[in-house]
Amino acid sequence: MKSSKSVEQRRQQIVAWVKEHGQSQVEDLAVRFATSEVTIRKDLAALSQQGLLIRQFGGAVPVPSTSVNAELSQVTTNDGMTHLAISPAANAIGKRAASLVKPGCKLVIDCGSTTASILPHLSHIDDLVVMTNTLSTANYLTQSDKEPTVLMVGGTWDAQSQSFQGAMAEQLVSAYSFDIAFIGAAGIDVNRGTTTFNELIGVTRAMAAAASKVVIVASSKKLTHKMPNLELSWKNISVLITDEGISEQDKLNIENQGVTVLIASPSGE
């Protein structure tokens, strides 16, 4: 059994790594620190409780500061308001995704850091109806000047994804119909679709099935994450919005499977 000293040293190194590299996935940290994913999750839970990191679905991001380069972090200030700190790349993806939304649209937004980057860009759109399985998303939306009608998915709270999951959540989602489902991706397989290590994929699939258009929002680095579980196949996806890091070949391969690939640039070009 490892000593408490070695555990503390590893956790200090994890904090330093995440601060330097931004959003970090559990599987990548496990490889980096030569330990199991279960151990890394325990480390992240402890570090989150200490306020040294912010846990997110599949990993962690640094605590926000002026030097943070994470995709997205959420901070609740003394006035009780929830604010988002978003990197330029993630902000561009969120803005491009929101451009697909028209007044009166019915949306369902899955958990995840990149899906949350859409939220600030919805604030000027009238008469939205938004369902989510994430408390932080619902909280942010209810603070908007043009507050949408917010529907909250029930079910069982999953601490790992910070969202509601399970059969009850799937049933509630399936009872509605939506114009657009905004869904993130832990990993992207060019040949198969979106992938994940997490086996809690029922709610995401229910969201996709209930929507006329399924939009995946994900950074191009997710193309390098090899994960065993297929979440959504390309035949169930309408649009992929990603950044300029995607190669022309990967873009072409995905488009050849009937998916529209949109590139979001921080410069707006």
Side-chain angles (χ1 to χ4, degrees), residues 221-238:
K221 68 181 181 181
K222 299 301 176 66
L223 287 156
T224 66
H225 292 172
K226 306 299 182 183
M227 301 182 180
N229 298 326
L230 179 66
E231 190 165 44
L232 293 176
S233 64
W234 291 123
K235 67 180 181 180
N236 301 122
I237 297 169
S238 311

Side-chain angles (χ1 to χ4, degrees), residues 53 112 193 232 239 250 257:
L53 291 176
L232 293 176
V239 179
D250 284 344
Q257 298 183 76

Side-chain angles (χ1 to χ4, degrees), residues 15-211:
V15 172
W17 175 267
V18 174
K19 282 184 177 179
E20 180 180 356
H21 297 276
Q23 185 181 34
S24 302
Q25 300 293 313
V26 168
E27 61 270 18
D28 296 334
L29 292 171
V31 173
R32 172 71 183 174
F33 295 100
T35 188
S36 69
E37 293 182 16
V38 171
T39 297
I40 291 294
R41 290 190 182 96
K42 291 179 179 178
D43 290 340
L44 297 182
L47 293 169
S48 176
Q49 290 177 350
Q50 295 171 40
L52 299 175
L53 291 176
I54 295 176
R55 291 190 71 187
Q56 289 188 337
F57 181 44
V61 297
V63 173
S65 69
T66 55
S67 61
V68 163
N69 189 34
E71 284 188 8
L72 179 144
S73 302
Q74 297 197 11
V75 186
T76 301
T77 54
N78 291 334
D79 61 4
M81 297 291 284
T82 299
H83 303 273
L84 302 179
I86 307 173
S87 73
N91 183 64
I93 291 174
K95 184 176 181 180
R96 188 69 181 87
S99 71
L100 304 178
V101 179
K102 307 301 180 186
C105 268
K106 298 186 293 295
L107 312 176
V108 59
I109 302 178
D110 201 3
C111 59
S113 61
T114 312
T115 52
S117 71
I118 303 168
L119 303 181
H121 303 288
L122 299 177
S123 60
H124 66 286
I125 304 176
D126 292 314
D127 302 322
L128 295 180
V129 176
V130 183
M131 175 178 279
T132 180
N133 59 341
T134 308
L135 289 171
S136 56
T137 295
N139 184 48
Y140 186 92
L141 290 171
T142 57
Q143 298 172 12
S144 173
D145 291 336
K146 294 186 177 181
E147 181 180 338
T149 299
V150 177
L151 306 175
M152 190 70 213
V153 173
T156 302
W157 179 254
D158 175 59
Q160 171 71 15
S161 63
Q162 291 289 291
S163 65
F164 288 98
Q165 302 287 337
M168 288 183 63
E170 294 170 32
Q171 291 173 12
L172 182 58
V173 171
S174 299
Y176 290 81
S177 60
F178 305 96
D179 298 305
I180 304 175
F182 287 116
I183 296 171
I188 297 176
D189 186 315
V190 171
N191 298 313
R192 296 194 298 159
T194 62
T195 59
T196 181
F197 272 110
N198 197 322
E199 295 184 353
L200 296 176
I201 55 181
V203 172
T204 297
R205 289 181 173 177
M207 288 178 174

